[in-house]
Amino acid sequence: ACPWPGPPRCVLMEQLGCSPAEAQRQLGKLADEARTSITELAAQIIHQRAPDPVPGPGPHRLSLAGAAIEAAPDGTAVAAAMLDEVLGPAGAVAVAVWLTEPDGGLELAGQAGFGEREASRWRRIHPDMSSLPQQAARDGAEVWWPAGPPPGDRRPLMGGWPGGAQAALPIQDAGVTLGVMLIRWPGPLDGFPGPLRRQLTALADLSAQTLAARLPDGGLAADH
């Protein structure tokens, strides 16, 4: 049974009576046959036509992000979809997603905007390493820094932009923390207004839905 209604892979699961992994393969096959992108096809399946781009994040961008995340073949594509559809229009320049490990550590599932060298340094966050992602995962609470770390906080930061805004949001399903999402901006923000927080929290929820459905299949990380 589909864990939640609406997303294209769930629609295919219901129509074809197949597994999530087979629905993912069918989605790619249909996109190839239609000579379109998986994101565009996914948006059509859930009856949402991709609108013309407009500045700033909005409900239409969350819809596109949901379709793109659902269709993403791996964690890197998930992160790229987040940055392209929602975070970039909100001024962010990078995002990283980690999955929780049995020992409390975090394993990098995908990133966009940080670069491979920086990603390799943050491939795994040890459970005893003090960091912003580990804080959000451990406490299960969102962390919002509008202008870099608070005074006296000397924890290591992923990426450059030392005075830039950043946010760490736990990715949770039914009260269980599946991972954490870190978002970086190149400069400070004048706080995080309510609409922006709601957009980012909704993005974390979309990610949680995908992770909850795909981790049992090994669709994003083979050892989860």
Side-chain angles (χ1 to χ4, degrees):
C2 185
W4 72 96
R9 195 159 57 102
C10 289
V11 174
L12 290 177
M13 286 170 60
E14 293 168 355
Q15 291 180 348
L16 303 177
C18 62
S19 67
E22 178 60 25
Q24 182 69 25
R25 287 191 290 270
Q26 288 293 330
L27 193 60
K29 180 180 178 182
L30 290 171
D32 289 340
E33 292 175 351
R35 296 184 180 180
T36 187
S37 69
I38 291 180
T39 300
E40 179 64 27
L41 177 62
Q44 293 174 13
I45 289 176
I46 57 176
H47 310 294
Q48 293 169 329
R49 184 182 64 85
D52 295 331
V54 296
H60 67 284
R61 289 198 178 275
L62 275 174
S63 297
L64 286 179
I69 290 171
E70 172 68 11
D74 54 35
T76 297
V78 167
M82 292 178 177
L83 190 61
D84 291 345
E85 302 296 349
V86 176
L87 302 177
V93 292
V95 60
V97 177
W98 288 266
L99 302 178
T100 56
E101 295 188 312
D103 67 351
L106 297 173
E107 177 190 359
L108 188 66
Q111 63 84 25
F114 285 106
E116 288 302 318
R117 182 175 181 179
E118 186 71 358
S120 68
R121 297 178 59 237
W122 291 82
R123 190 69 56 191
R124 184 179 191 274
I125 302 178
H126 191 276
D128 296 331
M129 176 182 174
S130 181
S131 66
L132 187 60
Q134 191 64 268
Q135 176 186 339
R138 182 187 64 247
D139 298 342
E142 300 165 357
V143 183
W144 306 91
W145 287 357
D153 193 320
R154 301 183 181 276
R155 286 179 290 180
L157 302 177
M158 185 178 185
W161 325 290
Q166 53 188 302
L169 288 76
I171 299 174
Q172 298 177 318
D173 179 66
V176 176
T177 299
L178 305 176
V180 62
M181 175 173 62
L182 176 70
I183 309 163
R184 295 296 311 268
W185 284 261
L189 297 178
D190 186 18
F192 288 92
L196 177 58
R197 291 195 183 211
R198 288 191 291 272
Q199 291 285 339
L200 301 185
T201 299
L203 186 61
D205 290 341
L206 285 173
S207 304
Q209 294 171 352
T210 298
L211 290 174
R214 294 175 63 179
L215 286 180
D217 302 330
L220 293 177
D223 57 347
H224 286 73

